[in-house]
Amino acid sequence: PGIGKTTIVDLFLDRVRATGLVRIGHGHCLEHYGKGEAYLPILEALVRLIREPGGARLLAVLSRYAPTWLLQMPALLSDEEFATLQSRTQGTTPQRMLREMAEALEVLTAERSLIFVLEDLHWSDDSTVALLSTLAQRQERARLMVIGTYRPSDMPKEHPLRTLKQEVQLRN
């Protein structure tokens, strides 16, 4: 704690943001006791992006390509839209959610690059790590950068992020 991870990320983002060529979504993992909410930092980043100028495009892409994700953000929908989405997504599997988000990000980043900043990944849930793994393994191109901060010393030995880190390093 306090070593300057966030400061370094913020300095980088200030330079990138100045170009106006990229959208930046921030999400934070929270220390939880027991099972945490699936995809919490990703959902937080998406909600923030949707509430920014130009967020309607992201909302439309999620509605078309990742309806199961949009269902996790009911405050962004009318009651009628939410009910329609529920009927469209019945029987959804965790694997479908991963595929949907990967496809939505490919479509979204075809127009403009995107950076996800995910803070404190040592507290991340297994689902968030599964999404990061899916994105890292995709062969399709996406103008997406994921910046994650974490404290290795605070990460449990069995945390799936350790395995993901090793896999990503092996693949360069």
Side-chain angles (χ1 to χ4, degrees):
I3 198 169
K5 297 178 295 299
T6 301
T7 301
I8 291 171
V9 171
D10 288 345
L11 288 171
F12 170 75
L13 293 177
D14 287 345
R15 288 186 181 186
V16 172
R17 193 177 286 113
T19 69
L21 300 174
V22 72
R23 296 189 74 189
I24 301 167
H26 285 85
H28 296 86
C29 299
L30 301 174
E31 185 173 17
H32 50 269
Y33 304 95
K35 191 168 180 139
E37 183 177 356
Y39 307 111
L40 180 64
I42 303 296
L43 293 169
E44 179 185 1
L46 291 171
V47 168
R48 287 179 175 190
L49 285 167
I50 289 168
R51 290 183 174 153
E52 289 179 359
R57 173 68 180 137
L58 173 55
L59 193 59
V61 168
L62 291 176
S63 180
R64 169 105 170 102
Y65 294 94
T68 58
W69 286 81
L70 196 50
L71 195 60
Q72 307 305 309
M73 300 175 266
L76 300 174
L77 305 169
S78 69
D79 291 342
E80 183 179 309
E81 291 169 324
F82 186 75
T84 302
L85 216 51
Q86 279 184 313
S87 66
R88 278 180 53 201
T89 58
Q90 280 185 316
T92 298
T93 64
Q95 292 77 18
R96 175 179 168 182
M97 286 189 73
L98 297 174
R99 179 181 47 80
E100 281 183 2
M101 183 51 67
E103 290 174 2
L105 289 173
E106 287 170 22
V107 170
L108 190 65
T109 60
E111 302 165 359
R112 191 172 176 191
S113 296
L114 174 64
I115 298 175
F116 272 139
V117 179
L118 307 176
E119 298 271 1
D120 297 322
L121 283 172
H122 53 279
W123 290 328
S124 64
D125 61 281
D126 293 353
S127 298
T128 297
V129 177
L131 177 62
L132 294 175
S133 177
T134 297
L135 296 175
Q137 293 179 55
R138 295 282 289 191
Q139 296 299 313
E140 291 76 17
R141 298 183 75 85
R143 296 184 317 183
L144 172 68
M145 175 183 275
V146 177
I147 300 172
T149 65
Y150 70 99
R151 293 191 303 263
S153 62
D154 287 352
M155 190 168 29
K157 289 192 187 307
E158 66 281 351
H159 198 286
L161 186 61
R162 288 188 189 275
T163 304
L164 176 58
K165 180 180 176 264
Q166 291 171 348
E167 290 173 4
V168 169
Q169 285 176 321
L170 287 173
R171 292 191 189 113
N172 291 322

